[in-house]
Amino acid sequence: MEATIVVLAGDGIGPEVTGEAQKVMEVVAEKYGHQFHFSAQLMGGRAIDELGTSLPDETVEACRRADAVLLGAVGGPKWDNPNAADRPERGLLAIRKELRLFANVRPVKLHRQLIGASTLKEEVLQGVDLVVIRELTGGIYFGPRQEAGAEAAEAYDTMLYTRPEIERVVRLAAETAMGRRKKLASVDKANVLASSRLWRRVATDVLAEYPELETEHVLVDAMSMHLIRRPASFDVIVAGNLFGDILTDEASMLAGSMGMLPSASLGDVANSQGLPLGLYEPIHGSAPDIAGQSVANPLAAILSTAMLLRHSLGLEREAAAVEAAVDQVLEEGVRTPDIAHTGTEVVGTQVMGDLVTSKLRAMTA
Ligand code: NAD
């Protein structure tokens, strides 16, 4: 297969972790006979510094033409001025909108070798394997708002959803659940919010098309509790933008470290393979506190390439091989500092990337 992948390395540890992720994809190409063309583009803080905008037009164009986009992370203290005309995060929100990426898919699977790295008890974590699907381009992050100056005594945001916005994300969640354990929980706050009552009504209509699914509607406050009390009982969880944002961070703690979790943002734009053009990124940010020290954990970025191979290129065997290579490295007790504990061997970013690539090379295809 021939495919074009845009790499938005971004800021902070972004370039360090995407460097390792690209290295892994190059080995996948070599081993399985594919041709991946990588195109590095600017977005975020570095783009503001070099081109005066967090999302240059060339970047948007390159992403539109690509089969998939791999992102590191954007942002950092240098660009944190709240009064600045442009901010790195604006680029991220805008590219999601430009590429119509309406769903963020975040698998949370506990690597059994890391069970000790979580703050939760082992018996609660046993068997955790869930996917949170968050609506990404609607809801309160995009509804009408008012913020009349820094001194204003009043401000508001609006949680606005339309039937088609809810339908498409619930349908994607239902399809995801059909390919897994056939369980789906839809999250809302229908006892209080009008937009949530619409969410529940539309979700109920869509889910009626999937009689094989075991479905439930859960209030967001109850879900935040269930997620840490009985996380293994969930398979696919779908939620609106704000609730999904909060729940995905909570769910990430089930896996022990931010440095381990990948994500995919998917939409309805097809790439040259006839598959969804997606944006793939680790869930963590740019970690300015450790940037440039070669200690960042590249595994979330590497696991994001596995999602890219699976969802945007349809290369399931290659995706599974990357995931297996990561598991093998962890199995041998090798860790970056964020997931290290007594008895493990601590390595830096590049060595971790090298170990994953050598496991991949050694694997029988
Ligand atoms: P962060 O995820 O960058 O860091 C939180 C903590 O986790 C830090 O202690 C960091 O060192 C650690 N950490 C994160 N990733 C790690 C990795 N791969 N290996 C080892 N340790 C890791 O969150 P933050 O500190 O709240 O945000 C820093 C910057 O990142 C901010 O400017 C924020 O806006 C930005 N951010 C960007 C994205 C994105 O680009 N998608 C997401 C979240 C935050």
Side-chain angles (χ1 to χ4, degrees):
M1 160 183 297
E2 197 167 347
T4 303
I5 292 136
V6 164
V7 181
L8 305 173
D11 309 312
I13 61 168
E16 297 170 52
V17 297
T18 51
E20 298 312 304
Q22 181 170 333
K23 206 158 85 181
V24 167
M25 289 209 64
E26 281 161 1
V27 173
V28 167
E30 186 187 305
K31 186 177 171 77
Y32 296 93
H34 304 301
Q35 259 187 294
F36 296 151
H37 308 286
F38 295 96
S39 160
Q41 300 290 332
L42 290 175
M43 186 177 87
R46 234 188 91 203
I48 294 177
D49 289 353
E50 292 184 26
L51 298 171
T53 169
S54 57
L55 185 61
D57 291 344
E58 307 88 279
T59 298
V60 176
E61 278 317 306
C63 290
R64 282 213 181 100
R65 286 194 307 269
D67 290 303
V69 181
L70 178 68
L71 168 71
V74 296
K78 183 177 176 194
W79 304 281
D80 263 353
N81 175 5
N83 299 318
D86 196 358
R87 291 165 60 87
E89 294 76 12
R90 189 199 67 84
L92 190 55
L93 289 180
I95 193 73
R96 288 173 178 159
K97 201 87 181 170
E98 290 285 346
L99 301 181
R100 299 167 44 144
L101 303 171
F102 63 78
N104 182 254
V105 179
R106 239 184 231 197
V108 179
K109 191 170 176 185
L110 183 73
H111 294 262
R112 60 182 179 79
Q113 308 90 337
L114 298 182
I115 208 155
S118 174
T119 51
L120 295 177
K121 288 188 192 133
E122 197 170 327
E123 62 264 32
V124 174
L125 294 171
Q126 288 294 353
V128 167
D129 180 5
L130 57 90
V131 178
V132 187
I133 299 188
R134 164 189 167 195
E135 200 287 328
L136 206 55
T137 52
I140 198 163
Y141 291 178
F142 292 92
R145 69 181 55 177
Q146 182 179 291
E147 192 178 14
E151 300 306 317
E154 196 180 277
Y156 63 76
D157 303 278
T158 316
M159 194 182 292
L160 174 71
Y161 267 118
T162 63
R163 179 170 268 274
E165 284 174 330
I166 302 167
E167 268 173 4
R168 62 188 184 182
V169 72
V170 172
R171 187 158 281 121
L172 182 102
E175 294 291 339
T176 306
M178 287 299 287
R180 293 175 45 97
R181 300 197 306 277
K182 296 194 169 55
K183 286 173 69 177
L184 177 67
S186 172
V187 175
D188 59 44
K189 185 71 182 164
N191 54 341
V192 179
L193 302 175
S195 55
S196 273
R197 283 191 283 276
L198 176 69
W199 180 282
R200 189 172 286 209
R201 223 167 49 235
V202 176
T204 304
D205 290 349
V206 172
L207 296 177
E209 298 168 27
Y210 297 87
E212 278 179 63
L213 288 184
E214 184 190 321
T215 63
E216 57 179 330
H217 299 274
V218 188
L219 294 173
V220 63
D221 39 352
M223 181 53 101
S224 66
M225 185 179 71
H226 296 323
L227 255 184
I228 50 171
R229 205 181 56 182
R230 51 175 181 91
S233 70
F234 295 102
D235 180 15
V236 178
I237 297 170
V238 64
N241 209 340
L242 174 64
F243 300 155
D245 193 2
I246 298 166
L247 292 176
T248 43
D249 264 25
E250 187 189 2
S252 74
M253 291 321 294
L254 301 170
S257 165
M258 306 260 272
M260 291 301 302
L261 291 183
S263 80
S265 297
L266 303 172
D268 50 11
V269 175
N271 63 17
S272 74
Q273 322 289 334
L275 289 165
L277 163 62
L279 184 144
Y280 300 83
E281 58 177 315
I283 69 152
H284 59 74
S286 60
D289 53 334
I290 55 166
Q293 297 171 27
S294 281
V295 293
N297 185 346
L299 294 180
I302 290 172
L303 290 168
S304 298
T305 69
M307 292 191 84
L308 185 160
L309 292 163
R310 177 172 293 128
H311 296 286
S312 282
L313 305 185
L315 299 174
E316 176 57 38
R317 178 186 55 163
E318 289 80 344
V322 171
E323 288 163 349
V326 168
D327 262 343
Q328 285 177 18
V329 172
L330 293 174
E331 195 65 49
E332 288 178 0
V334 184
R335 306 280 189 271
T336 44
D338 58 312
I339 49 171
H341 54 88
T342 325
T344 55
E345 182 196 345
V346 180
V347 298
T349 312
Q350 284 89 2
V351 174
M352 184 54 102
D354 288 341
L355 288 169
V356 174
T357 52
S358 68
K359 289 288 175 209
L360 203 49
R361 279 203 175 93
M363 225 170 259
T364 45

